[in-house]
Amino acid sequence: WRLGYCARLLKTNHFRTAASNTSFPAVWMLLAQHSGRIPGLFVVVKKNTFFTMPETVEDKTNPELYLPHPGVRGMTLLDREAFKRTVVVPALRVKKEIVHSVLKSLRQSVLQRPGLKRVVEDPEDEGSRFVILDPHKVPEFSLGEPEQQALKQLSVHAEVCQYQLELTYEHFKSEEILRAVLPEGQEVTSGFSRVGHIAHLNLRDHQLPYRHLIGQVIMDKNPGITCVVNKTSIIDSTYRNFEMEVLAGENNLVTKVKENNISYELDFSKVYWNPRLSTEHGRVVGLLRAGDVLADVFAGVGPFAIPAARRRCRVLANDLNPDSFRWLLHNCRLNKVHGEVRAFNMDGRDFLRGPVREELSRELPLLKEGQGAAFHIVMNLPALALEFLGVFRHLLVGEPCSPAALPTVHCYGFSKHSDPARDIRERAEASLGASLAGRCSTFLVRNVAPNKEMLCLSFQIPADVLYKRPCPDEGKEQASQVAAPCAASGWSLLAA
């Protein structure tokens, strides 16, 4: 009784639906659950029934059925013809008039692989077509009971035949091609950052001998990619660019990208651009309101500055890299905000001590509580920005009259610490010389590498950090200089 029950259970669970891909160990354990033990007799039946099948049938259930020809292993110069391979797949011969009905009835069993036809002509009969089935879902060249009943209603004979399917380079996905080419067991990287028409890779050492083939495959499999580059050095902390090698395609690194409905043009070999920061750019710009002031210390080509200007904010944008500065000006004109952005080509510290301090001295007395305006400072240089926070110490001289008017800083940093939020905050506090406990928020931007996070620390600069209180003699002299602009607001403020 127990053996007969197990046999019926196996038939029901493993052969009932063509979509089933149940592994034999799983079926074995299922039987054990119902029988209370794993019967020794079943082990023999299992072995003789499923592991001594003819070689051709066993190949049809191989999960690697769609891999390219094994002869491509180790290829470094792409030969597309070498990827050709013919495999045997299950198919149904049906009259062409009912092909659509058959496809609808067998939609769970029909081949769904992109680039491969599900219906092909029958060379022996113009009135018939072959409907190609998925060999992983019809592993025994036999349809399940529900599929057979559906075909019976269409008066279609449910006999599955073998069809010789030719696979070429065009039919394989980039990851399948690279996995077949690279040595077995080595990591395959098919992901990349797209910057306009450029695909940017970060290849590992073991992939370098295959780099030109990888570049060509990426270009072949991604429409619109006409240049593939690989980073050959770490990002330079001064100008935020890196050396790169063109692996495939045209040597044209001037490109156009669109982010959050705004267009930017840039030379990818000379400026910094990271498409993975699109969401973060939008998040921070979304905090701004019309009339706010934004000072972008490391502006790049303008992904914070330009959308802020389009929100009718007043923007000061700076970048030390002369190429970034030129493309920043170009993109301001391209997006017609050159009248709202004051651009600078300075060191970040000089920018903060110069134009930003002047703007703070002029604007803070006007940013009274309740007026809705605010002053924001963005510092997106994760490798070094935290070290620049010391510039804010006693940047201004005077007595602040409203805590709400204090500028908000959005400072980015990398952390490999087990508690990255605390690490970023403590490093910022060390630079500022003051505690930010309860006065800041931390936002996880992205995972840069294993155990390396990029975060954004946002906080209002503490008044006792930003302001230096003047001595009595200085106060009298300075009061006479700023009496007029400060009379209405009660401010006593002067740039140090």
Side-chain angles (χ1 to χ4, degrees), residues 240 259 262 264 273 277 279-285 288 294 296 298-299 301-310 315 317 378-380 410 412 454 456:
R240 288 201 296 177
E259 179 182 277
I262 297 177
Y264 302 88
W273 181 269
L277 295 178
T279 301
E280 178 62 10
H281 296 152
R283 183 187 73 87
V284 172
V285 172
L288 308 177
L294 173 69
D296 193 349
F298 312 106
V301 299
F304 285 113
I306 291 173
R310 292 187 62 170
V315 179
V378 173
M379 304 176 69
N380 184 19
H410 308 280
Y412 293 83
M454 177 179 175
C456 176

PDB file of all heavy atoms in Angstrom, residues 240 259 262 264 273 277 279-285 288 294 296 298-299 301-310 315 317 378-380 410 412 454 456:
ATOM      1  N   ARG A 240      38.375  64.469  -9.109  1.00  0.00           N
ATOM      2  CA  ARG A 240      37.311  63.470  -9.157  1.00  0.00           C
ATOM      3  C   ARG A 240      37.161  62.842 -10.541  1.00  0.00           C
ATOM      4  O   ARG A 240      36.056  62.630 -11.036  1.00  0.00           O
ATOM      5  CB  ARG A 240      35.980  64.069  -8.711  1.00  0.00           C
ATOM      6  CG  ARG A 240      35.916  64.346  -7.228  1.00  0.00           C
ATOM      7  CD  ARG A 240      34.504  64.446  -6.740  1.00  0.00           C
ATOM      8  NE  ARG A 240      33.785  65.554  -7.326  1.00  0.00           N
ATOM      9  CZ  ARG A 240      32.515  65.823  -7.099  1.00  0.00           C
ATOM     10  NH1 ARG A 240      31.819  65.053  -6.301  1.00  0.00           N
ATOM     11  NH2 ARG A 240      31.927  66.851  -7.649  1.00  0.00           N
ATOM     12  N   GLU A 259      19.006  63.272 -16.581  1.00  0.00           N
ATOM     13  CA  GLU A 259      18.747  62.866 -15.210  1.00  0.00           C
ATOM     14  C   GLU A 259      17.624  63.725 -14.638  1.00  0.00           C
ATOM     15  O   GLU A 259      17.708  64.956 -14.660  1.00  0.00           O
ATOM     16  CB  GLU A 259      20.010  63.016 -14.356  1.00  0.00           C
ATOM     17  CG  GLU A 259      19.799  62.621 -12.905  1.00  0.00           C
ATOM     18  CD  GLU A 259      21.052  62.815 -12.070  1.00  0.00           C
ATOM     19  OE1 GLU A 259      21.920  61.924 -12.070  1.00  0.00           O
ATOM     20  OE2 GLU A 259      21.161  63.890 -11.428  1.00  0.00           O
ATOM     21  N   ILE A 262      16.393  66.510 -16.781  1.00  0.00           N
ATOM     22  CA  ILE A 262      17.315  67.598 -17.097  1.00  0.00           C
ATOM     23  C   ILE A 262      18.480  67.017 -17.893  1.00  0.00           C
ATOM     24  O   ILE A 262      19.015  65.957 -17.543  1.00  0.00           O
ATOM     25  CB  ILE A 262      17.832  68.296 -15.828  1.00  0.00           C
ATOM     26  CG1 ILE A 262      16.662  68.943 -15.068  1.00  0.00           C
ATOM     27  CG2 ILE A 262      18.883  69.342 -16.158  1.00  0.00           C
ATOM     28  CD1 ILE A 262      17.056  69.591 -13.763  1.00  0.00           C
ATOM     29  N   TYR A 264      22.335  66.992 -19.484  1.00  0.00           N
ATOM     30  CA  TYR A 264      23.699  67.422 -19.183  1.00  0.00           C
ATOM     31  C   TYR A 264      24.621  66.907 -20.291  1.00  0.00           C
ATOM     32  O   TYR A 264      24.445  65.790 -20.787  1.00  0.00           O
ATOM     33  CB  TYR A 264      24.188  66.862 -17.842  1.00  0.00           C
ATOM     34  CG  TYR A 264      23.335  67.228 -16.657  1.00  0.00           C
ATOM     35  CD1 TYR A 264      22.242  66.444 -16.298  1.00  0.00           C
ATOM     36  CD2 TYR A 264      23.613  68.356 -15.880  1.00  0.00           C
ATOM     37  CE1 TYR A 264      21.449  66.774 -15.215  1.00  0.00           C
ATOM     38  CE2 TYR A 264      22.828  68.686 -14.790  1.00  0.00           C
ATOM     39  CZ  TYR A 264      21.747  67.887 -14.458  1.00  0.00           C
ATOM     40  OH  TYR A 264      20.962  68.210 -13.384  1.00  0.00           O
ATOM     41  N   TRP A 273      30.962  61.849 -13.141  1.00  0.00           N
ATOM     42  CA  TRP A 273      29.526  61.660 -13.291  1.00  0.00           C
ATOM     43  C   TRP A 273      29.190  60.238 -12.863  1.00  0.00           C
ATOM     44  O   TRP A 273      29.808  59.269 -13.331  1.00  0.00           O
ATOM     45  CB  TRP A 273      29.064  61.884 -14.719  1.00  0.00           C
ATOM     46  CG  TRP A 273      27.579  61.708 -14.852  1.00  0.00           C
ATOM     47  CD1 TRP A 273      26.894  60.561 -15.149  1.00  0.00           C
ATOM     48  CD2 TRP A 273      26.580  62.702 -14.624  1.00  0.00           C
ATOM     49  NE1 TRP A 273      25.538  60.774 -15.137  1.00  0.00           N
ATOM     50  CE2 TRP A 273      25.321  62.092 -14.819  1.00  0.00           C
ATOM     51  CE3 TRP A 273      26.634  64.056 -14.291  1.00  0.00           C
ATOM     52  CZ2 TRP A 273      24.128  62.794 -14.677  1.00  0.00           C
ATOM     53  CZ3 TRP A 273      25.447  64.747 -14.145  1.00  0.00           C
ATOM     54  CH2 TRP A 273      24.204  64.117 -14.353  1.00  0.00           C
ATOM     55  N   LEU A 277      23.712  58.161  -8.648  1.00  0.00           N
ATOM     56  CA  LEU A 277      23.364  59.208  -7.685  1.00  0.00           C
ATOM     57  C   LEU A 277      22.131  60.005  -8.098  1.00  0.00           C
ATOM     58  O   LEU A 277      21.788  61.001  -7.462  1.00  0.00           O
ATOM     59  CB  LEU A 277      24.552  60.165  -7.501  1.00  0.00           C
ATOM     60  CG  LEU A 277      25.806  59.549  -6.881  1.00  0.00           C
ATOM     61  CD1 LEU A 277      26.921  60.586  -6.791  1.00  0.00           C
ATOM     62  CD2 LEU A 277      25.513  58.975  -5.500  1.00  0.00           C
ATOM     63  N   THR A 279      18.938  59.397  -7.832  1.00  0.00           N
ATOM     64  CA  THR A 279      17.913  59.474  -6.781  1.00  0.00           C
ATOM     65  C   THR A 279      18.335  60.420  -5.671  1.00  0.00           C
ATOM     66  O   THR A 279      17.513  61.185  -5.149  1.00  0.00           O
ATOM     67  CB  THR A 279      17.646  58.079  -6.205  1.00  0.00           C
ATOM     68  OG1 THR A 279      17.210  57.214  -7.262  1.00  0.00           O
ATOM     69  CG2 THR A 279      16.590  58.132  -5.121  1.00  0.00           C
ATOM     70  N   GLU A 280      19.612  60.396  -5.320  1.00  0.00           N
ATOM     71  CA  GLU A 280      20.095  61.269  -4.252  1.00  0.00           C
ATOM     72  C   GLU A 280      20.048  62.729  -4.678  1.00  0.00           C
ATOM     73  O   GLU A 280      19.682  63.609  -3.880  1.00  0.00           O
ATOM     74  CB  GLU A 280      21.514  60.871  -3.851  1.00  0.00           C
ATOM     75  CG  GLU A 280      22.132  61.755  -2.778  1.00  0.00           C
ATOM     76  CD  GLU A 280      21.382  61.722  -1.460  1.00  0.00           C
ATOM     77  OE1 GLU A 280      20.476  60.880  -1.292  1.00  0.00           O
ATOM     78  OE2 GLU A 280      21.705  62.540  -0.585  1.00  0.00           O
ATOM     79  N   HIS A 281      20.412  63.018  -5.915  1.00  0.00           N
ATOM     80  CA  HIS A 281      20.298  64.398  -6.409  1.00  0.00           C
ATOM     81  C   HIS A 281      18.858  64.879  -6.281  1.00  0.00           C
ATOM     82  O   HIS A 281      18.597  65.989  -5.796  1.00  0.00           O
ATOM     83  CB  HIS A 281      20.743  64.477  -7.870  1.00  0.00           C
ATOM     84  CG  HIS A 281      22.191  64.155  -8.080  1.00  0.00           C
ATOM     85  ND1 HIS A 281      22.677  63.633  -9.257  1.00  0.00           N
ATOM     86  CD2 HIS A 281      23.269  64.283  -7.255  1.00  0.00           C
ATOM     87  CE1 HIS A 281      23.984  63.449  -9.151  1.00  0.00           C
ATOM     88  NE2 HIS A 281      24.363  63.846  -7.958  1.00  0.00           N
ATOM     89  N   GLY A 282      17.924  64.032  -6.708  1.00  0.00           N
ATOM     90  CA  GLY A 282      16.513  64.418  -6.632  1.00  0.00           C
ATOM     91  C   GLY A 282      16.028  64.579  -5.204  1.00  0.00           C
ATOM     92  O   GLY A 282      15.209  65.452  -4.915  1.00  0.00           O
ATOM     93  N   ARG A 283      16.521  63.737  -4.303  1.00  0.00           N
ATOM     94  CA  ARG A 283      16.095  63.823  -2.899  1.00  0.00           C
ATOM     95  C   ARG A 283      16.482  65.154  -2.273  1.00  0.00           C
ATOM     96  O   ARG A 283      15.661  65.824  -1.619  1.00  0.00           O
ATOM     97  CB  ARG A 283      16.716  62.673  -2.097  1.00  0.00           C
ATOM     98  CG  ARG A 283      16.278  62.629  -0.638  1.00  0.00           C
ATOM     99  CD  ARG A 283      17.036  61.582   0.159  1.00  0.00           C
ATOM    100  NE  ARG A 283      18.414  61.984   0.428  1.00  0.00           N
ATOM    101  CZ  ARG A 283      18.794  62.711   1.473  1.00  0.00           C
ATOM    102  NH1 ARG A 283      17.898  63.146   2.339  1.00  0.00           N
ATOM    103  NH2 ARG A 283      20.065  63.015   1.652  1.00  0.00           N
ATOM    104  N   VAL A 284      17.740  65.543  -2.453  1.00  0.00           N
ATOM    105  CA  VAL A 284      18.214  66.781  -1.828  1.00  0.00           C
ATOM    106  C   VAL A 284      17.569  68.003  -2.477  1.00  0.00           C
ATOM    107  O   VAL A 284      17.122  68.931  -1.780  1.00  0.00           O
ATOM    108  CB  VAL A 284      19.748  66.870  -1.899  1.00  0.00           C
ATOM    109  CG1 VAL A 284      20.230  68.232  -1.424  1.00  0.00           C
ATOM    110  CG2 VAL A 284      20.377  65.763  -1.049  1.00  0.00           C
ATOM    111  N   VAL A 285      17.488  68.004  -3.796  1.00  0.00           N
ATOM    112  CA  VAL A 285      16.859  69.143  -4.473  1.00  0.00           C
ATOM    113  C   VAL A 285      15.397  69.249  -4.063  1.00  0.00           C
ATOM    114  O   VAL A 285      14.846  70.349  -3.960  1.00  0.00           O
ATOM    115  CB  VAL A 285      17.010  69.001  -6.006  1.00  0.00           C
ATOM    116  CG1 VAL A 285      16.195  70.074  -6.733  1.00  0.00           C
ATOM    117  CG2 VAL A 285      18.480  69.109  -6.408  1.00  0.00           C
ATOM    118  N   LEU A 288      14.464  71.680  -1.274  1.00  0.00           N
ATOM    119  CA  LEU A 288      14.570  73.120  -1.506  1.00  0.00           C
ATOM    120  C   LEU A 288      13.250  73.702  -1.966  1.00  0.00           C
ATOM    121  O   LEU A 288      12.440  73.034  -2.624  1.00  0.00           O
ATOM    122  CB  LEU A 288      15.649  73.397  -2.566  1.00  0.00           C
ATOM    123  CG  LEU A 288      17.022  72.761  -2.327  1.00  0.00           C
ATOM    124  CD1 LEU A 288      17.956  73.067  -3.498  1.00  0.00           C
ATOM    125  CD2 LEU A 288      17.624  73.242  -1.025  1.00  0.00           C
ATOM    126  N   LEU A 294      21.277  77.984  -2.332  1.00  0.00           N
ATOM    127  CA  LEU A 294      22.066  76.762  -2.329  1.00  0.00           C
ATOM    128  C   LEU A 294      23.507  77.080  -2.681  1.00  0.00           C
ATOM    129  O   LEU A 294      23.778  77.718  -3.694  1.00  0.00           O
ATOM    130  CB  LEU A 294      21.521  75.755  -3.341  1.00  0.00           C
ATOM    131  CG  LEU A 294      22.383  74.497  -3.532  1.00  0.00           C
ATOM    132  CD1 LEU A 294      22.335  73.630  -2.270  1.00  0.00           C
ATOM    133  CD2 LEU A 294      21.943  73.690  -4.752  1.00  0.00           C
ATOM    134  N   ASP A 296      26.786  75.011  -3.559  1.00  0.00           N
ATOM    135  CA  ASP A 296      27.270  73.683  -3.924  1.00  0.00           C
ATOM    136  C   ASP A 296      28.794  73.743  -3.993  1.00  0.00           C
ATOM    137  O   ASP A 296      29.376  74.315  -4.924  1.00  0.00           O
ATOM    138  CB  ASP A 296      26.681  73.279  -5.272  1.00  0.00           C
ATOM    139  CG  ASP A 296      26.875  71.802  -5.576  1.00  0.00           C
ATOM    140  OD1 ASP A 296      27.634  71.156  -4.844  1.00  0.00           O
ATOM    141  OD2 ASP A 296      26.269  71.318  -6.544  1.00  0.00           O
ATOM    142  N   PHE A 298      31.158  71.321  -4.219  1.00  0.00           N
ATOM    143  CA  PHE A 298      31.827  70.452  -5.197  1.00  0.00           C
ATOM    144  C   PHE A 298      30.805  70.126  -6.288  1.00  0.00           C
ATOM    145  O   PHE A 298      30.307  69.008  -6.390  1.00  0.00           O
ATOM    146  CB  PHE A 298      32.335  69.177  -4.512  1.00  0.00           C
ATOM    147  CG  PHE A 298      33.085  69.447  -3.229  1.00  0.00           C
ATOM    148  CD1 PHE A 298      32.501  69.176  -1.998  1.00  0.00           C
ATOM    149  CD2 PHE A 298      34.367  69.977  -3.250  1.00  0.00           C
ATOM    150  CE1 PHE A 298      33.184  69.414  -0.808  1.00  0.00           C
ATOM    151  CE2 PHE A 298      35.052  70.223  -2.068  1.00  0.00           C
ATOM    152  CZ  PHE A 298      34.463  69.942  -0.850  1.00  0.00           C
ATOM    153  N   ALA A 299      30.524  71.097  -7.123  1.00  0.00           N
ATOM    154  CA  ALA A 299      29.338  71.065  -7.976  1.00  0.00           C
ATOM    155  C   ALA A 299      29.447  70.132  -9.172  1.00  0.00           C
ATOM    156  O   ALA A 299      28.414  69.749  -9.735  1.00  0.00           O
ATOM    157  CB  ALA A 299      29.019  72.485  -8.465  1.00  0.00           C
ATOM    158  N   VAL A 301      29.385  68.951 -12.802  1.00  0.00           N
ATOM    159  CA  VAL A 301      28.791  69.577 -13.989  1.00  0.00           C
ATOM    160  C   VAL A 301      27.381  70.094 -13.702  1.00  0.00           C
ATOM    161  O   VAL A 301      26.681  70.520 -14.615  1.00  0.00           O
ATOM    162  CB  VAL A 301      28.771  68.588 -15.172  1.00  0.00           C
ATOM    163  CG1 VAL A 301      30.181  68.163 -15.527  1.00  0.00           C
ATOM    164  CG2 VAL A 301      27.899  67.370 -14.875  1.00  0.00           C
ATOM    165  N   GLY A 302      26.953  70.045 -12.420  1.00  0.00           N
ATOM    166  CA  GLY A 302      25.713  70.724 -12.038  1.00  0.00           C
ATOM    167  C   GLY A 302      24.519  69.887 -11.664  1.00  0.00           C
ATOM    168  O   GLY A 302      23.396  70.397 -11.696  1.00  0.00           O
ATOM    169  N   PRO A 303      24.651  68.595 -11.232  1.00  0.00           N
ATOM    170  CA  PRO A 303      23.446  67.814 -10.940  1.00  0.00           C
ATOM    171  C   PRO A 303      22.656  68.267  -9.725  1.00  0.00           C
ATOM    172  O   PRO A 303      21.490  67.916  -9.587  1.00  0.00           O
ATOM    173  CB  PRO A 303      23.995  66.394 -10.740  1.00  0.00           C
ATOM    174  CG  PRO A 303      25.427  66.581 -10.346  1.00  0.00           C
ATOM    175  CD  PRO A 303      25.884  67.805 -11.092  1.00  0.00           C
ATOM    176  N   PHE A 304      23.269  69.018  -8.801  1.00  0.00           N
ATOM    177  CA  PHE A 304      22.518  69.662  -7.726  1.00  0.00           C
ATOM    178  C   PHE A 304      22.150  71.097  -8.117  1.00  0.00           C
ATOM    179  O   PHE A 304      21.029  71.547  -7.899  1.00  0.00           O
ATOM    180  CB  PHE A 304      23.341  69.706  -6.427  1.00  0.00           C
ATOM    181  CG  PHE A 304      23.451  68.405  -5.696  1.00  0.00           C
ATOM    182  CD1 PHE A 304      24.661  67.758  -5.597  1.00  0.00           C
ATOM    183  CD2 PHE A 304      22.349  67.834  -5.083  1.00  0.00           C
ATOM    184  CE1 PHE A 304      24.791  66.565  -4.909  1.00  0.00           C
ATOM    185  CE2 PHE A 304      22.454  66.635  -4.389  1.00  0.00           C
ATOM    186  CZ  PHE A 304      23.683  65.998  -4.307  1.00  0.00           C
ATOM    187  N   ALA A 305      23.116  71.813  -8.676  1.00  0.00           N
ATOM    188  CA  ALA A 305      22.964  73.247  -8.903  1.00  0.00           C
ATOM    189  C   ALA A 305      21.892  73.572  -9.933  1.00  0.00           C
ATOM    190  O   ALA A 305      21.055  74.466  -9.726  1.00  0.00           O
ATOM    191  CB  ALA A 305      24.308  73.842  -9.338  1.00  0.00           C
ATOM    192  N   ILE A 306      21.902  72.857 -11.053  1.00  0.00           N
ATOM    193  CA  ILE A 306      20.979  73.207 -12.141  1.00  0.00           C
ATOM    194  C   ILE A 306      19.526  72.906 -11.783  1.00  0.00           C
ATOM    195  O   ILE A 306      18.659  73.776 -11.972  1.00  0.00           O
ATOM    196  CB  ILE A 306      21.419  72.511 -13.445  1.00  0.00           C
ATOM    197  CG1 ILE A 306      22.741  73.133 -13.920  1.00  0.00           C
ATOM    198  CG2 ILE A 306      20.348  72.627 -14.522  1.00  0.00           C
ATOM    199  CD1 ILE A 306      23.373  72.441 -15.090  1.00  0.00           C
ATOM    200  N   PRO A 307      19.191  71.725 -11.256  1.00  0.00           N
ATOM    201  CA  PRO A 307      17.782  71.541 -10.863  1.00  0.00           C
ATOM    202  C   PRO A 307      17.351  72.476  -9.744  1.00  0.00           C
ATOM    203  O   PRO A 307      16.188  72.868  -9.680  1.00  0.00           O
ATOM    204  CB  PRO A 307      17.722  70.070 -10.420  1.00  0.00           C
ATOM    205  CG  PRO A 307      19.128  69.652 -10.204  1.00  0.00           C
ATOM    206  CD  PRO A 307      19.959  70.481 -11.120  1.00  0.00           C
ATOM    207  N   ALA A 308      18.272  72.870  -8.852  1.00  0.00           N
ATOM    208  CA  ALA A 308      17.924  73.845  -7.816  1.00  0.00           C
ATOM    209  C   ALA A 308      17.588  75.194  -8.442  1.00  0.00           C
ATOM    210  O   ALA A 308      16.633  75.871  -8.034  1.00  0.00           O
ATOM    211  CB  ALA A 308      19.073  73.997  -6.825  1.00  0.00           C
ATOM    212  N   ALA A 309      18.380  75.589  -9.440  1.00  0.00           N
ATOM    213  CA  ALA A 309      18.107  76.856 -10.128  1.00  0.00           C
ATOM    214  C   ALA A 309      16.766  76.800 -10.851  1.00  0.00           C
ATOM    215  O   ALA A 309      16.042  77.805 -10.916  1.00  0.00           O
ATOM    216  CB  ALA A 309      19.236  77.166 -11.108  1.00  0.00           C
ATOM    217  N   ARG A 310      16.424  75.642 -11.370  1.00  0.00           N
ATOM    218  CA  ARG A 310      15.134  75.513 -12.059  1.00  0.00           C
ATOM    219  C   ARG A 310      13.970  75.557 -11.079  1.00  0.00           C
ATOM    220  O   ARG A 310      12.835  75.805 -11.486  1.00  0.00           O
ATOM    221  CB  ARG A 310      15.103  74.214 -12.865  1.00  0.00           C
ATOM    222  CG  ARG A 310      16.068  74.243 -14.043  1.00  0.00           C
ATOM    223  CD  ARG A 310      15.933  73.037 -14.941  1.00  0.00           C
ATOM    224  NE  ARG A 310      14.618  72.946 -15.550  1.00  0.00           N
ATOM    225  CZ  ARG A 310      14.306  72.084 -16.520  1.00  0.00           C
ATOM    226  NH1 ARG A 310      15.217  71.243 -16.975  1.00  0.00           N
ATOM    227  NH2 ARG A 310      13.096  72.041 -17.019  1.00  0.00           N
ATOM    228  N   VAL A 315      21.657  80.146  -6.580  1.00  0.00           N
ATOM    229  CA  VAL A 315      22.655  79.094  -6.505  1.00  0.00           C
ATOM    230  C   VAL A 315      24.059  79.660  -6.670  1.00  0.00           C
ATOM    231  O   VAL A 315      24.326  80.462  -7.561  1.00  0.00           O
ATOM    232  CB  VAL A 315      22.403  78.021  -7.592  1.00  0.00           C
ATOM    233  CG1 VAL A 315      23.479  76.935  -7.532  1.00  0.00           C
ATOM    234  CG2 VAL A 315      21.013  77.413  -7.430  1.00  0.00           C
ATOM    235  N   ALA A 317      27.652  77.828  -7.268  1.00  0.00           N
ATOM    236  CA  ALA A 317      28.180  76.502  -7.597  1.00  0.00           C
ATOM    237  C   ALA A 317      29.671  76.608  -7.874  1.00  0.00           C
ATOM    238  O   ALA A 317      30.123  77.495  -8.618  1.00  0.00           O
ATOM    239  CB  ALA A 317      27.453  75.938  -8.813  1.00  0.00           C
ATOM    240  N   VAL A 378      25.679  72.119   0.073  1.00  0.00           N
ATOM    241  CA  VAL A 378      25.893  70.726  -0.330  1.00  0.00           C
ATOM    242  C   VAL A 378      27.387  70.488  -0.503  1.00  0.00           C
ATOM    243  O   VAL A 378      28.077  71.259  -1.176  1.00  0.00           O
ATOM    244  CB  VAL A 378      25.143  70.399  -1.638  1.00  0.00           C
ATOM    245  CG1 VAL A 378      25.517  69.005  -2.140  1.00  0.00           C
ATOM    246  CG2 VAL A 378      23.639  70.474  -1.426  1.00  0.00           C
ATOM    247  N   MET A 379      27.867  69.398   0.103  1.00  0.00           N
ATOM    248  CA  MET A 379      29.292  69.063   0.038  1.00  0.00           C
ATOM    249  C   MET A 379      29.431  67.609  -0.395  1.00  0.00           C
ATOM    250  O   MET A 379      29.582  66.694   0.421  1.00  0.00           O
ATOM    251  CB  MET A 379      29.950  69.312   1.401  1.00  0.00           C
ATOM    252  CG  MET A 379      29.760  70.725   1.916  1.00  0.00           C
ATOM    253  SD  MET A 379      30.438  70.988   3.568  1.00  0.00           S
ATOM    254  CE  MET A 379      32.195  70.862   3.242  1.00  0.00           C
ATOM    255  N   ASN A 380      29.353  67.385  -1.704  1.00  0.00           N
ATOM    256  CA  ASN A 380      29.386  66.023  -2.239  1.00  0.00           C
ATOM    257  C   ASN A 380      30.790  65.681  -2.753  1.00  0.00           C
ATOM    258  O   ASN A 380      31.051  65.661  -3.950  1.00  0.00           O
ATOM    259  CB  ASN A 380      28.363  65.846  -3.355  1.00  0.00           C
ATOM    260  CG  ASN A 380      28.316  64.405  -3.845  1.00  0.00           C
ATOM    261  OD1 ASN A 380      28.754  63.492  -3.157  1.00  0.00           O
ATOM    262  ND2 ASN A 380      27.795  64.201  -5.036  1.00  0.00           N
ATOM    263  N   HIS A 410      24.570  69.534   3.915  1.00  0.00           N
ATOM    264  CA  HIS A 410      24.387  68.156   3.485  1.00  0.00           C
ATOM    265  C   HIS A 410      25.766  67.665   3.063  1.00  0.00           C
ATOM    266  O   HIS A 410      26.245  67.976   1.978  1.00  0.00           O
ATOM    267  CB  HIS A 410      23.400  68.066   2.324  1.00  0.00           C
ATOM    268  CG  HIS A 410      22.095  68.764   2.594  1.00  0.00           C
ATOM    269  ND1 HIS A 410      21.089  68.198   3.359  1.00  0.00           N
ATOM    270  CD2 HIS A 410      21.643  70.002   2.218  1.00  0.00           C
ATOM    271  CE1 HIS A 410      20.066  69.043   3.426  1.00  0.00           C
ATOM    272  NE2 HIS A 410      20.382  70.144   2.746  1.00  0.00           N
ATOM    273  N   TYR A 412      28.600  64.597   2.499  1.00  0.00           N
ATOM    274  CA  TYR A 412      28.687  63.184   2.126  1.00  0.00           C
ATOM    275  C   TYR A 412      30.007  62.582   2.577  1.00  0.00           C
ATOM    276  O   TYR A 412      31.043  63.259   2.621  1.00  0.00           O
ATOM    277  CB  TYR A 412      28.525  63.030   0.611  1.00  0.00           C
ATOM    278  CG  TYR A 412      27.145  63.397   0.132  1.00  0.00           C
ATOM    279  CD1 TYR A 412      26.805  64.734  -0.107  1.00  0.00           C
ATOM    280  CD2 TYR A 412      26.157  62.425  -0.032  1.00  0.00           C
ATOM    281  CE1 TYR A 412      25.526  65.075  -0.514  1.00  0.00           C
ATOM    282  CE2 TYR A 412      24.885  62.762  -0.441  1.00  0.00           C
ATOM    283  CZ  TYR A 412      24.570  64.092  -0.678  1.00  0.00           C
ATOM    284  OH  TYR A 412      23.293  64.425  -1.072  1.00  0.00           O
ATOM    285  N   MET A 454      28.131  54.768   1.375  1.00  0.00           N
ATOM    286  CA  MET A 454      28.129  56.218   1.158  1.00  0.00           C
ATOM    287  C   MET A 454      26.913  56.786   1.871  1.00  0.00           C
ATOM    288  O   MET A 454      25.795  56.312   1.688  1.00  0.00           O
ATOM    289  CB  MET A 454      28.063  56.542  -0.328  1.00  0.00           C
ATOM    290  CG  MET A 454      27.991  58.027  -0.632  1.00  0.00           C
ATOM    291  SD  MET A 454      27.939  58.355  -2.419  1.00  0.00           S
ATOM    292  CE  MET A 454      27.689  60.150  -2.410  1.00  0.00           C
ATOM    293  N   CYS A 456      24.869  60.457   3.633  1.00  0.00           N
ATOM    294  CA  CYS A 456      24.707  61.910   3.658  1.00  0.00           C
ATOM    295  C   CYS A 456      24.326  62.320   5.079  1.00  0.00           C
ATOM    296  O   CYS A 456      23.331  61.846   5.629  1.00  0.00           O
ATOM    297  CB  CYS A 456      23.624  62.352   2.676  1.00  0.00           C
ATOM    298  SG  CYS A 456      23.288  64.140   2.723  1.00  0.00           S
TER     299      CYS A 456
END
